[in-house]
């Protein structure tokens, strides 16, 4: 994908990419096209499966998000955090290694700290992920290494999340 080859693309502000939207990040541009209830209702009339359509839309949004997750309000969306959790749990239970985007999402959940609010972290999300896993899957997640630095998540997690991980 484009983001795998050029991950910084998710952090580049786009000017005038869409009418009426200036200086937006790719995730913001993508989300600006999220269909509303009226559009989904029209899709159903045309016999298209709106639930499948929205699942695919969310999947693409979450993919872009994984490359630049610190954008408000998207990083606080309950539905997005639940989808990320479900993906991490599913892949942690698999015999395969985590996909790069899941690895990035897991690292982000464990390492995020807000400079403005020390209590702003994702320790509860990390706890929710771990509560659904057996010891082998937990060990797999604790051993995940940062793509950027090669450090284990346990070694770079914010202090609150580090306590949850051990």
């Amino acid at each position: 994908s484009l983001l795998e080859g050029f991950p910084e693309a998710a952090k580049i502000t786009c000017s005038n990419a869409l009418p009426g939207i200036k200086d937006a990040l790719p995730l913001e541009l993508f989300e600006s096209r999220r269909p509303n209830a009226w559009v989904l209702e029209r899709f159903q009339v045309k016999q298209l499966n709106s639930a499948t359509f929205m699942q695919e839309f969310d999947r693409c949004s979450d993919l872009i998000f994984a490359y630049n997750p610190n954008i408000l309000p998207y990083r606080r969306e309950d539905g997005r955090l639940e989808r990320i959790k479900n993906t991490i749990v599913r892949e942690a239970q698999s015999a395969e290694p985590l996909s790069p985007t899941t690895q990035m999402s897991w690292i982000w959940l464990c390492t995020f700290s807000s400079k403005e609010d020390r209590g702003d972290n994702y320790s509860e999300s990390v706890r929710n992920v771990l509560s659904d896993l057996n010891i082998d899957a937990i060990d797999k997640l604790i051993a995940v290494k940062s793509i950027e630095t090669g450090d284990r998540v346990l070694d770079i997690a914010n202090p609150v999340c580090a306590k949850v991980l051990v």
Side-chain angles (χ1 to χ4, degrees), residues 131-150:
S131 70
D132 285 354
L133 297 173
N134 63 33
I135 192 69
D136 292 333
I138 291 171
D139 287 344
K140 180 178 179 177
L141 289 179
I142 290 174
V144 166
K145 293 183 178 182
S146 167
I147 293 170
E148 296 172 359
T149 66

Side-chain angles (χ1 to χ4, degrees), residues 66-77:
Y67 285 88
N68 189 12
N70 294 326
I71 306 170
L72 287 172
Y74 307 107
R75 71 176 176 86
R76 289 196 178 138
E77 292 175 337

Side-chain angles (χ1 to χ4, degrees), residues 59 62 80-93 98-99 101-103 105 129:
R59 188 188 69 76
D62 293 345
R80 184 179 309 277
L81 292 172
E82 183 68 19
R83 290 189 306 272
I84 290 170
K85 173 200 155 218
N86 291 340
T87 301
I88 293 169
V89 166
R90 184 180 65 251
E91 290 191 23
Q93 292 171 331
L98 298 182
S99 67
T101 54
T102 300
Q103 188 175 346
S105 295
V129 167

Side-chain angles (χ1 to χ4, degrees), residues 15-43:
S15 298
N16 300 319
L18 293 172
I21 300 176
K22 291 184 177 238
D23 301 327
L25 293 163
L27 179 61
E28 294 167 319
L29 290 172
F30 187 78
E31 284 290 336
S32 74
R33 297 303 190 220
R34 181 175 286 278
N36 60 29
W38 181 84
V39 170
L40 291 175
E41 189 175 297
R42 300 260 315 183
F43 275 130

Side-chain angles (χ1 to χ4, degrees), residues 72 75-76 112-120:
L72 287 172
R75 71 176 176 86
R76 289 196 178 138
F112 177 84
S113 289
S114 171
K115 293 176 184 172
E116 295 82 34
D117 178 2
R118 298 189 79 181
D120 185 6

